[in-house]
Amino acid sequence: MDASLDVLFLLIGTVMILAMHAGFAFLELGTVRTKNQVNALSKILGDFCISAIAYYFIGYQFAYGINFFQSTDVLIANNGYELIKFFFLLTFAAAIPAIVSGGVAERAKLIPLFVATFVIVAFCYPLMEGIIWNGNFGFQAWLENTFGAGFHDFAGSIVVHGFGGWIALAAVYLLGVRRNRFKHGFSSTHPPSSIPFLALGSWILIVGWFGFNVMSAQKVGDISGLVAMNSLMAMVGGTLVAMTMSKNDPGFMYNGPLAGLVAVCAGSDVMHPLGALFVGGVAGAVFVWMFTFAHKKLKIDDVLGVWPMHGVCGLWGALAAGIFGQHFLGGLGGVSFASQVIGSLFGVALALVSGFVVYGTIKYTIGLRLSEEEEFDGADLSLHKISSTFDRDIF
């Protein structure tokens, strides 16, 4: 009976996170220009399916030492709990290319991106996941022996979001800026094509995130209402601060809650709700400031701001877990700030190396970017031979 409940519990969380990929799709669809909307939807679905193959055959075994090349009688042990756990963790793994997709939107080739997705989900992400969540290679044991606690990342501020965000930074850098994005040293605005679709994507992600965070317990007996409350408070804090700083800009307002939720993932099981509210608020401010700074000062053409959102806010969240998880700030304890710093820097470094190696190799072999003419026409017509609006269809 307990095994059946655990399977059902994890299945509910898995479906909630699976729905988040629709959120990724609509968030990107609403942000990119109309001529790239079909491509946005196609990338997310294709990336997920390729991730499933890569993770099933290679990635999951790489991270956890478990494979599915066994008889069905063996696979259904404990009501197939190991199978549903794979599905659950697959939705995390598939978030990495979904994050990258938003950064490289509007000028990347489709097949090279899919090749990168396979390599990242088969090898790069499982390496990070296995080290932090399965204790591979003794890194966590060393941190615990040295600082009294290992690197704490309950639901993936660094393992998932930070890793995806910093890989995306490498991909965006190697891909280069969109044509006419910066003119005479100044930023040229490419406004979102649909605020309603952007908002819909944000809402889908917000709802699914409670599966992402709460169901990271992976067992019914380990579920905690604290995780749900902290996720809520961080989401609220991120929204209100982003809304205030951006002077009610809906693009920032609907990304604010996501910034807060990214940041709270790591310490959502150990923080006090007031700490989570503060962490989410800081994340909202970080996203608004870093998005603006990256585009206007650094000239980084990160279309959806995935590096500020997932990379920088994920880094802040992992560090914050080592601060607000402490007893003297109302947390449950069992965390070390030194371990959080070292673990976070390790995650950032591994992500950057992975991103530059994978996307750099693809760029200088099969090519990564659309031609200037294809980019001008838009990825929809250039790659899919159809557009999201009837008047631009090709017959």
Side-chain angles (χ1 to χ4, degrees):
M1 184 66 176
D2 289 342
S4 298
L5 286 175
D6 287 337
V7 169
L8 178 60
F9 169 74
L10 210 51
L11 175 62
I12 294 170
T14 300
V15 172
M16 291 177 71
I17 306 171
L18 179 62
M20 290 177 70
H21 289 268
F24 282 121
F26 277 94
L27 189 71
E28 184 173 339
L29 181 151
T31 304
V32 300
R33 288 167 292 180
T34 305
K35 62 182 180 180
N36 297 296
Q37 289 182 326
V38 172
N39 181 246
L41 296 173
S42 301
K43 286 188 297 177
I44 300 299
L45 179 59
D47 276 333
F48 185 88
C49 294
I50 290 167
S51 296
I53 297 298
Y55 202 58
Y56 181 91
F57 285 99
I58 303 173
Y60 192 69
Q61 182 174 352
F62 188 19
Y64 298 101
I66 298 172
N67 68 70
F68 301 111
F69 299 101
Q70 306 173 66
S71 69
T72 306
D73 290 337
V74 175
L75 294 178
I76 63 171
N78 296 319
N79 298 92
Y81 178 79
E82 198 60 48
L83 297 176
I84 195 63
K85 181 181 177 182
F86 160 81
F87 191 4
F88 178 75
L89 292 174
L90 165 64
T91 59
F92 282 59
I96 305 299
I99 290 168
V100 175
S101 176
V104 302
E106 300 201 319
R107 75 273 201 201
K109 294 179 179 179
L110 190 64
I111 299 304
L113 285 185
F114 287 165
V115 171
T117 292
F118 185 90
V119 175
I120 288 169
V121 176
F123 301 104
C124 305
Y125 171 72
L127 177 61
M128 179 67 183
E129 177 186 24
I131 288 172
I132 301 303
W133 284 344
N134 197 46
N136 296 352
F137 304 111
F139 179 71
Q140 287 283 47
W142 173 75
L143 288 176
E144 187 169 355
N145 290 334
T146 305
F147 302 106
F151 177 64
H152 187 90
D153 193 355
F154 179 71
S157 285
I158 281 290
V159 175
V160 179
H161 297 286
F163 197 74
W166 289 91
I167 281 182
L169 176 63
V172 168
Y173 176 83
L174 289 167
L175 193 62
V177 302
R178 288 168 288 175
R179 62 186 302 276
N180 297 324
R181 182 65 180 88
F182 301 107
K183 296 180 179 179
H184 310 296
F186 296 96
S187 175
S188 176
T189 302
H190 289 337
S193 59
S194 173
I195 293 296
F197 277 140
L198 187 158
L200 174 63
S202 178
W203 269 114
I204 294 172
L205 286 166
I206 290 169
V207 173
W209 223 298
F210 286 86
F212 197 101
N213 283 3
V214 177
M215 269 66 167
S216 284
Q218 299 186 20
K219 299 272 188 178
V220 172
D222 295 331
I223 191 171
S224 172
L226 178 66
V227 178
M229 175 61 80
N230 284 343
S231 300
L232 172 67
M233 297 301 279
M235 183 271 287
V236 170
T239 304
L240 295 177
V241 172
M243 177 182 67
T244 302
M245 285 189 62
S246 67
K247 300 179 180 179
N248 306 322
D249 183 308
F252 284 119
M253 184 175 178
Y254 275 100
N255 276 287
L258 309 183
L261 286 163
V262 165
V264 81
C265 284
S268 56
D269 62 326
V270 295
M271 293 181 188
H272 188 279
L274 291 178
L277 179 65
F278 181 84
V279 169
V282 171
V286 166
F287 175 72
V288 173
W289 187 82
M290 282 300 300
F291 182 91
T292 305
F293 179 76
H295 281 75
K296 292 187 176 181
K297 300 297 182 181
L298 300 180
K299 301 294 188 294
I300 296 174
D301 193 10
D302 179 351
V303 181
L304 268 68
V306 298
W307 173 56
M309 168 75 71
H310 299 273
V312 181
C313 290
L315 177 60
W316 155 243
L319 297 176
I323 300 171
F324 293 93
Q326 303 285 353
H327 285 297
F328 71 91
L329 286 175
L332 295 179
V335 293
S336 162
F337 183 69
S339 292
Q340 295 305 111
V341 172
I342 294 171
S344 297
L345 293 178
F346 169 75
V348 169
L350 182 58
L352 286 173
V353 170
S354 299
F356 277 109
V357 169
V358 173
Y359 289 100
T361 300
I362 291 173
K363 176 179 178 178
Y364 295 111
T365 52
I366 61 176
L368 189 59
R369 182 163 180 157
L370 295 173
S371 69
E372 189 171 335
E373 181 179 357
E374 289 173 327
E375 186 181 341
F376 177 80
D377 291 338
D380 292 357
L381 294 180
S382 298
L383 299 177
H384 307 282
K385 310 306 178 187
I386 194 171
S387 74
S388 60
T389 55
F390 178 78
D391 61 314
R392 285 178 60 83
D393 286 352
I394 292 180
F395 297 96

